[in-house]
Amino acid sequence: MKKKETVTIYDVAREASVSMATVSRAINHNHNVKPETEKKVLDVVKRLNYRPNDVARGLASKKTTTVGVIIPNVTNSYFAALARGIDDIAEMYQYNIILTNSDGDEKKELKALNTLYSKQVDGLIFMGNEISEAVRSDMSNERIPVVLAGSVDSQNQFNSVNIDYRKAVYAQTNELLKNGNDRVAFVASHLNRSINKDYRIEGYKDALRDAGIPFRKTLLFEANEATYDSGYKLRNKLVQEEVTAAIVSNDDVAAGVMNSMSDSGINVPEQFEVATSDNTKLTEMTRPMLSTITQPLYDIGAVSMRLLTKLMKNEEVSERNILLPFGLKDRNSTK
Amino acid sequence: MKKKETVTIYDVAREASVSMATVSRAINHNHNVKPETEKKVLDVVKRLNYRPNDVARGLASKKTTTVGVIIPNVTNSYFAALARGIDDIAEMYQYNIILTNSDGDEKKELKALNTLYSKQVDGLIFMGNEISEAVRSDMSNERIPVVLAGSVDSQNQFNSVNIDYRKAVYAQTNELLKNGNDRVAFVASHLNRSINKDYRIEGYKDALRDAGIPFRKTLLFEANEATYDSGYKLRNKLVQEEVTAAIVSNDDVAAGVMNSMSDSGINVPEQFEVATSDNTKLTEMTRPMLSTITQPLYDIGAVSMRLLTKLMKNEEVSERNILLPFGLKDRNSTK
DNA sequence: AATAGCAGAGTAACCGTTTACATTCAAGTA
DNA sequence: TACTTGAATGTAAACGGTTACTCTGCTATT
């Protein structure tokens, strides 16, 4: 078994006959090093196969080049898409991400925040459908920057990247209304979460109002979870309310709702229309394919991370709350 | 702006009138501390809101309680499911994961390994369909343990957690053969990758041999990417070879193949049968639903992480290469 | 020629812990 | 009584870097 002594900056300094300070400067491409000295040092670095210890660096510089990412569930394709965007940009800017699944559960979120702070992450990207008071206070008490990705904050206290959910749902509801539906359902995993309560449902109401159709509380449905199965289980309730169309705030849930209808012999879209929200790949995989709001999922993640890098470097940012463009994609689950 | 001085172990020591060593012992629940002293210290910890700096800890103890996870793509539901299992168990054992997407690309894998090593991760979980020589040598030269999750190594050099792909595909091919298909295709994203070349295709051949059906190279298809679209594009080639059934090694690709067939008027499963490999949720969302090998996806991740914790603690492990049980789920894409 | 200015390099403090080793003190032992 | 022992705690040296400050020796300026 080879001894594999770890080679440190001292070893490099000795071999290159310079001080460790010079080695440090050389590997960090500090300009105060004569080019030939830098070359000499870098040659030794290569020869000894020296690799700086980021932990030591972190302690000395108080920067870890690591950001914490809190995600409800990697398994959810919406958030997974954002995560991918986040990671790509992180890599581009030489950061790594510590990924933590929270299930949108406050306890887990708080625990994650705690260990992330212990690990001295330079910044935080938070995804989740709601920001509880405890989480809010935790995040605002630390001095590291945070940005919400695809997540809203009712108090509008943090930086964020989203689309205009209200307008998007407004436009989408309009379509369904135009198709002649007067009992269109709104379904979300949790109705009382800010993203639904303050944005999507408002958009939905706006559209109803503009169309002169009364808003009915009974047409608001809750799936409890953002999963296919929980959507699938909604059928009876939907049928009972004689709903002929539904706006769904999550693709998995929407697929569940739609398949459930189809499976029971209700024809989509002829007898029942479904429109969903995220345009994940899933919307193309179902039959019929799902009409949806189109969101730049990857970009929401990417832009969030980009924004975070600016905040971590104390650069000026023009917008605290970025809204990316959305669209409407008409596929086969609507007329 | 509140000054928010970071409180260190010194502050706690002073306030508790003990030495920092005692504080360190107390917070680490070292037994060499008188219970009342421990309580005194812990009270101060709480009062000052002291939170140990893991970076400093890491430097001093040479343990970061962080593991690196290399994943082809979080967006791929197979790997995402594993990742979730990994993270849950990691959390259970007080580790965090640094997640890095590699796209299965050697360059990116090497780069990721490098930064992960710099960050002094205590262990590594590698997911990817192939282990290149460079990656292999990199991973074996470092002294930190690695386990392959849902990934095989042709040299069988690393710890791993998988199912028996050969047997699984064997059983699955048998089913298709039993249904009367004599031209059953095998499709994978990359045919020459060990997991396919050495396992799945061997299982496929075993079944053909046992059924007395000649193996035809022309019935091996490559999708190039593990994506829905790349599967979708395969239709013409499949039709051209007059294939009546296909074994597909990835759910997304399988969904693409199936939808592509259906969309062009070929009836599944009457005229064309498809069987897939991962039993991700997607297999239930398509219509018809996909028959599949069932794998304990979450568990593969979870067991991998559990195994890694043992290795990191230098505990004895009985099996280096764990095979988890698989099954066959007959749904509607096969007769 | 004298002096200021600056590039390039070195010295050493510091980052916040862990931990080997030393010390203290009280109880047990012969 | 004198000594051993061990539990509880303290002291200080790592851990492997970054960086403020200092120093040296040229070049440019007047």
Side-chain angles (χ1 to χ4, degrees):
Chain A
M1 183 146 75
K2 227 182 301 171
K3 219 14 190 351
K4 191 93 174 85
E5 299 289 347
T6 56
V7 8
T8 74
I9 201 171
Y10 288 96
D11 302 317
V12 177
R14 184 173 13 81
E15 290 291 311
S17 337
V18 296
S19 72
M20 53 176 307
T22 299
V23 176
S24 176
R25 292 188 191 106
I27 63 182
N28 290 313
H29 300 296
N30 186 306
H31 41 287
N32 291 341
V33 185
K34 205 196 299 181
E36 57 209 60
T37 309
E38 177 167 324
K39 182 176 183 328
K40 181 174 63 176
V41 171
L42 263 23
D43 283 348
V44 176
V45 164
K46 185 158 289 174
R47 179 157 63 77
L48 299 191
N49 215 320
Y50 167 69
R51 177 192 289 138
N53 180 326
D54 276 350
V55 174
R57 274 187 164 170
L59 181 57
S61 68
K62 296 180 167 246
K63 298 236 162 302
T64 54
T65 62
T66 303
V67 316
V69 175
I70 294 183
I71 191 173
N73 192 345
V74 241
T75 265
N76 177 134
S77 23
Y78 171 74
F79 290 116
L82 302 206
R84 183 64 213 254
I86 292 169
D87 187 43
D88 281 2
I89 304 305
E91 212 240 285
M92 186 173 303
Y93 286 88
Q94 325 256 50
Y95 283 92
N96 285 103
I97 65 176
I98 295 185
L99 211 262
T100 316
N101 293 87
S102 70
D103 290 314
D105 176 65
E106 180 183 1
K107 288 254 175 54
K108 293 190 189 177
E109 288 170 347
L110 292 173
K111 189 171 175 210
L113 284 174
N114 229 317
T115 91
L116 256 13
Y117 291 143
S118 287
K119 296 239 157 133
Q120 315 294 124
V121 294
D122 295 339
L124 212 53
I125 292 199
F126 184 94
M127 294 181 267
N129 292 317
E130 185 76 2
I131 299 194
S132 72
E133 278 317 308
V135 167
R136 169 192 315 287
S137 108
D138 250 42
M139 295 199 304
S140 27
N141 282 334
E142 294 295 314
R143 61 200 166 319
I144 66 168
V146 2
V147 1
L148 312 180
S151 311
V152 303
D153 164 27
S154 54
Q155 309 287 109
N156 208 54
Q157 180 177 136
F158 302 101
N159 297 80
S160 67
V161 180
N162 289 285
I163 63 162
D164 189 327
Y165 304 107
R166 182 168 181 167
K167 280 193 188 149
V169 169
Y170 173 80
Q172 190 173 43
T173 308
N174 267 164
E175 292 294 315
L176 259 23
L177 260 20
K178 227 190 303 174
N179 290 170
N181 302 284
D182 52 2
R183 292 185 72 81
V184 0
F186 176 88
V187 2
S189 53
H190 303 271
L191 292 171
N192 62 340
R193 297 216 168 140
S194 182
I195 193 169
N196 293 316
K197 185 177 37 134
D198 304 330
Y199 297 86
R200 293 191 177 120
I201 295 180
E202 286 306 309
Y204 167 79
K205 285 181 177 170
D206 291 346
L208 290 178
R209 185 181 5 80
D210 287 2
I213 295 179
F215 163 72
R216 297 189 183 79
K217 236 190 185 153
T218 51
L219 297 189
L220 260 23
F221 298 84
E222 191 157 45
N224 293 315
E225 272 182 76
T227 62
Y228 177 80
D229 291 338
S230 67
Y232 203 92
K233 287 184 199 136
L234 245 34
R235 183 181 60 221
N236 284 156
K237 293 187 187 167
L238 257 9
V239 169
Q240 208 155 7
E241 287 293 337
E242 300 185 327
V243 152
T244 60
I247 299 283
V248 185
S249 70
N250 172 284
D251 290 355
D252 285 33
V253 175
V257 168
M258 182 175 73
N259 281 171
S260 177
M261 289 296 184
S262 301
D263 289 355
S264 75
I266 297 172
N267 209 315
V268 176
E270 287 75 6
Q271 302 172 64
F272 185 79
E273 298 185 64
V274 194
T276 185
S277 159
D278 304 329
N279 195 30
T280 59
K281 201 72 194 169
L282 175 60
T283 56
E284 298 177 44
M285 300 182 181
T286 56
R287 288 297 176 274
M289 292 194 271
L290 285 158
S291 295
T292 182
I293 291 168
T294 58
Q295 301 193 34
L297 300 180
Y298 179 92
D299 293 347
I300 291 178
V303 171
S304 298
M305 186 64 213
R306 179 63 185 110
L307 174 56
L308 187 59
T309 63
K310 288 184 186 166
L311 295 168
M312 292 187 293
K313 290 176 191 155
N314 290 308
E315 291 174 16
E316 218 43 61
V317 302
S318 42
E319 296 175 277
R320 271 173 42 84
N321 302 288
I322 299 178
L323 289 181
L324 262 22
F326 67 89
L328 243 38
K329 175 76 188 172
D330 206 24
R331 284 203 271 254
N332 312 317
S333 66
T334 55
K335 288 178 203 164
Chain B
M1 183 146 69
K2 225 183 299 172
K3 237 320 203 22
K4 191 89 175 85
E5 299 289 347
T6 56
V7 8
T8 75
I9 201 171
Y10 287 98
D11 302 319
V12 178
R14 184 176 10 83
E15 290 291 311
S17 338
V18 295
S19 72
M20 50 178 307
T22 298
V23 176
S24 176
R25 294 190 188 102
I27 61 181
N28 290 312
H29 300 297
N30 186 307
H31 41 288
N32 291 342
V33 185
K34 205 194 302 181
E36 57 209 61
T37 309
E38 179 168 323
K39 181 176 185 329
K40 181 174 61 177
V41 170
L42 264 23
D43 283 349
V44 176
V45 164
K46 186 158 289 174
R47 180 158 61 78
L48 299 191
N49 214 321
Y50 167 69
R51 176 193 290 138
N53 179 328
D54 276 348
V55 173
R57 274 189 162 171
L59 182 57
S61 68
K62 296 181 168 246
K63 298 238 162 300
T64 53
T65 63
T66 302
V67 316
V69 176
I70 294 183
I71 192 174
N73 193 343
V74 243
T75 266
N76 176 135
S77 23
Y78 171 75
F79 290 116
L82 303 206
R84 184 63 214 256
I86 291 168
D87 188 42
D88 281 3
I89 303 304
E91 211 239 286
M92 187 175 302
Y93 286 89
Q94 325 253 51
Y95 283 92
N96 285 104
I97 66 176
I98 296 186
L99 211 263
T100 318
N101 293 87
S102 71
D103 290 314
D105 176 64
E106 181 184 358
K107 288 256 175 53
K108 291 190 189 175
E109 289 169 348
L110 292 173
K111 188 171 177 210
L113 284 174
N114 229 318
T115 89
L116 257 13
Y117 291 141
S118 287
K119 295 238 158 135
Q120 315 295 121
V121 294
D122 295 340
L124 212 52
I125 291 198
F126 184 94
M127 295 181 267
N129 291 316
E130 184 75 2
I131 300 197
S132 73
E133 279 317 308
V135 168
R136 170 193 313 289
S137 108
D138 251 42
M139 294 200 304
S140 25
N141 283 334
E142 294 296 313
R143 60 201 165 318
I144 66 167
V146 1
V147 1
L148 311 181
S151 311
V152 303
D153 164 26
S154 54
Q155 310 286 110
N156 209 53
Q157 180 177 138
F158 302 101
N159 298 78
S160 68
V161 181
N162 288 285
I163 64 162
D164 189 328
Y165 304 106
R166 181 169 181 166
K167 281 192 188 150
V169 169
Y170 173 81
Q172 190 174 42
T173 308
N174 267 165
E175 293 293 314
L176 258 23
L177 260 19
K178 228 190 301 173
N179 290 171
N181 300 284
D182 51 2
R183 292 184 73 82
V184 0
F186 175 87
V187 2
S189 55
H190 302 271
L191 293 171
N192 61 338
R193 296 219 168 138
S194 183
I195 193 169
N196 294 315
K197 184 176 42 134
D198 304 329
Y199 296 85
R200 292 189 177 121
I201 295 180
E202 286 306 309
Y204 168 77
K205 285 180 176 171
D206 291 347
L208 290 178
R209 186 182 2 82
D210 287 2
I213 293 179
F215 164 71
R216 295 187 186 81
K217 235 187 185 156
T218 50
L219 297 190
L220 260 24
F221 297 84
E222 191 158 44
N224 293 314
E225 272 182 75
T227 62
Y228 176 82
D229 291 337
S230 67
Y232 202 92
K233 288 183 199 136
L234 246 32
R235 183 182 61 220
N236 284 156
K237 293 187 187 169
L238 258 8
V239 168
Q240 208 156 7
E241 287 294 336
E242 300 185 326
V243 151
T244 59
I247 300 283
V248 185
S249 68
N250 172 283
D251 289 356
D252 285 32
V253 175
V257 168
M258 182 175 74
N259 279 171
S260 175
M261 290 295 183
S262 301
D263 289 354
S264 74
I266 296 172
N267 209 314
V268 177
E270 288 76 5
Q271 303 172 65
F272 185 79
E273 299 186 63
V274 195
T276 186
S277 158
D278 304 328
N279 196 31
T280 57
K281 201 74 193 170
L282 175 59
T283 57
E284 298 178 45
M285 299 183 181
T286 56
R287 286 297 176 274
M289 292 195 271
L290 285 158
S291 295
T292 183
I293 291 168
T294 58
Q295 301 192 37
L297 300 179
Y298 179 92
D299 292 347
I300 291 178
V303 171
S304 297
M305 186 63 213
R306 178 64 183 108
L307 175 56
L308 187 59
T309 63
K310 288 183 185 165
L311 294 168
M312 291 187 295
K313 288 175 193 157
N314 290 308
E315 290 175 16
E316 218 43 59
V317 303
S318 41
E319 297 175 279
R320 270 172 44 82
N321 301 289
I322 299 178
L323 288 182
L324 261 24
F326 67 87
L328 243 38
K329 175 74 187 174
D330 206 24
R331 285 202 270 252
N332 311 318
S333 65
T334 56
K335 289 178 201 161

